[in-house]
Amino acid sequence: MADVMLRFDMRLPEFATASQADLYEAAIEMCAWGDQQGIGSVHLSEHHGSDDGYCPSPLLLASAIATRTRAMRIYISALIAPLHDPVQLAEDLAILDTISRGRVIPILSGGYREEEFSAVGKSLGVRKQYMDTIGPFLKRAWSGETFAFENRTVTVTPKPFSQPRPMILMGGSSKPAARRAAREADFFIPSGPEIFEYYREELKAQGKPDPGPMPAAPSTVTFVAEDPDAYWQQIAPHLQHETNTYALWAEKAQVFSPYRYFDSSDELRASGAYKVYRPQELIEAARGMISAQPIMFHPLCGGIHPDLAWQSLTLFAAEVLPTLRAEGIA
């Protein structure tokens, strides 16, 4: 059964015609709309100091979304944990958990961009120690007890809404990250299936339940249009901006990334990373999707104008979603 989801990172390159305020207003409204449509989740991301205005504060955006939704799960995917003071992070997540009644799920990541760490007076070298300790710290902090931490006396109040505590997910691309997640997290979001298999072995070695193989869920960004060719021509510069920027970041940091650099929009379209479907084409594609494979909408990707983004979403709701619901696909 396909899982329908939304994603937002709030990039706004110079060539985009919307304003930053337009994008944030639209993202919140789209989540409220998605909640009414029964869309299961939204995924928000974090990066700092990006020339295109990438969202640096997904926790604030999540708070706004939580007040406009009732059932939608809100993933912070990913939250660059070492950039945050752990006490403040525990408090912010506790309040978000309360506002959302347990619907906010952080995916903690160590980050990889040196400039983001430099901006807050840190270096990439702090990541290992921070990530090794943040899981146990959050669990203890959310208990409401007073305890000693780094020569400080800490009491985090109020306690979160979720009992016994909010979920803690961790992401990563290395064996140490997988070992850490097996030890301290509720689940692991890896860069690929090989690392996930290592995570499974670590869980079994610790006597924990095996979650089974990593779901084979390709990350394809979906749009719907009556005329896919015309729609592609309008959104292609935005999509190319997103994937090329991610690819350049990863190349500079020398880390793995699922994003590639593309010299042309035709090459990008041929890759299948972003697809524009006619309504019936998406219905047929959804019928062939494997269990847990997502239909992922990134409607404002690369600063797509909200008016253009709404065209895709409303067409999906009118001509695709009713059939998927009737057939039990979504």
Side-chain angles (χ1 to χ4, degrees):
M1 180 177 293
D3 180 21
V4 183
M5 62 179 65
L6 297 172
R7 180 180 170 230
F8 298 102
D9 60 19
M10 315 313 295
R11 288 186 186 275
L12 189 69
E14 289 185 358
F15 62 81
T17 57
S19 70
Q20 203 81 64
D22 292 336
L23 252 62
Y24 276 88
E25 180 182 16
I28 295 166
E29 291 298 327
M30 287 171 180
C31 288
W33 166 89
D35 194 56
Q36 294 171 355
Q37 301 295 327
I39 291 177
S41 64
V42 59
H43 297 247
L44 310 177
S45 303
E46 173 185 11
H47 277 294
H48 298 257
S50 177
D51 291 341
D52 58 13
Y54 199 118
C55 181
S57 188
L59 300 183
L60 279 179
L61 181 55
S63 182
I65 291 169
T67 65
R68 297 291 307 280
T69 56
R70 292 293 176 266
M72 178 179 283
R73 300 181 305 281
I74 305 169
Y75 288 87
I76 313 298
S77 176
L79 193 159
I80 308 175
L83 299 180
H84 298 262
D85 175 82
V87 177
Q88 186 69 57
L89 182 61
E91 292 173 338
D92 288 347
L93 289 174
I95 296 302
L96 262 178
D97 185 71
T98 300
I99 292 171
S100 68
R101 294 182 180 265
R103 293 183 290 117
V104 173
I105 303 170
I107 302 175
L108 307 182
S109 166
Y112 64 92
R113 299 184 67 225
E114 180 69 56
E115 49 267 66
E116 296 182 329
F117 284 74
S118 298
V120 296
K122 297 181 178 181
S123 71
L124 289 174
V126 306
R127 292 179 300 173
K128 181 182 185 305
Q129 181 179 358
Y130 186 103
M131 293 300 293
D132 283 345
T133 59
I134 190 61
F137 173 84
L138 290 175
K139 293 171 187 177
R140 194 167 187 188
W142 288 334
S143 72
E145 68 178 70
T146 299
F147 62 101
F149 175 74
E150 294 183 349
N151 298 318
R152 291 182 268 175
T153 299
V154 174
T155 308
V156 171
T157 59
K159 293 175 66 174
F161 173 85
S162 296
Q163 294 301 317
R165 59 168 175 78
M167 290 184 66
I168 299 173
L169 277 61
M170 289 184 175
S173 58
S174 66
K175 289 184 176 180
R179 285 196 298 269
R180 181 188 302 120
R183 186 174 64 248
E184 303 295 350
D186 297 305
F187 197 65
F188 182 52
I189 309 297
S191 60
E194 299 84 3
I195 296 297
F196 192 80
E197 287 303 308
Y198 185 82
Y199 166 70
R200 291 178 65 194
E201 293 302 317
E202 284 293 310
L203 286 175
K204 288 186 279 188
Q206 296 176 30
K208 297 180 179 179
D210 181 359
M214 178 181 173
S219 179
T220 299
V221 177
T222 298
F223 298 89
V224 187
E226 295 287 6
D227 185 342
D229 291 340
Y231 198 83
W232 176 266
Q233 290 302 316
Q234 294 181 81
I235 66 172
H238 301 275
L239 310 184
Q240 196 168 350
H241 171 81
E242 174 184 72
T243 188
N244 286 357
T245 303
Y246 273 130
L248 290 172
W249 284 358
E251 181 182 11
K252 181 178 180 181
Q254 296 186 323
V255 297
F256 169 82
S257 173
Y259 293 91
R260 292 171 47 204
Y261 191 95
F262 291 91
D263 292 318
S264 71
S265 63
D266 290 340
E267 182 187 3
L268 175 59
R269 192 175 188 181
S271 75
Y274 304 85
K275 291 186 178 181
V276 183
Y277 294 91
R278 290 183 176 86
Q280 188 59 39
E281 290 173 342
L282 181 53
I283 291 170
E284 294 297 330
R287 286 171 176 158
M289 286 181 176
I290 61 175
S291 177
Q293 185 172 348
I295 298 174
M296 183 174 69
F297 288 97
H298 191 356
L300 303 174
C301 180
I304 293 171
H305 196 283
D307 292 346
L308 189 58
W310 275 117
Q311 291 178 25
S312 173
L313 294 180
T314 54
L315 186 60
F316 171 75
E319 298 193 22
V320 179
L321 192 55
T323 299
L324 301 189
R325 294 279 190 241
E327 296 184 9
I329 297 173

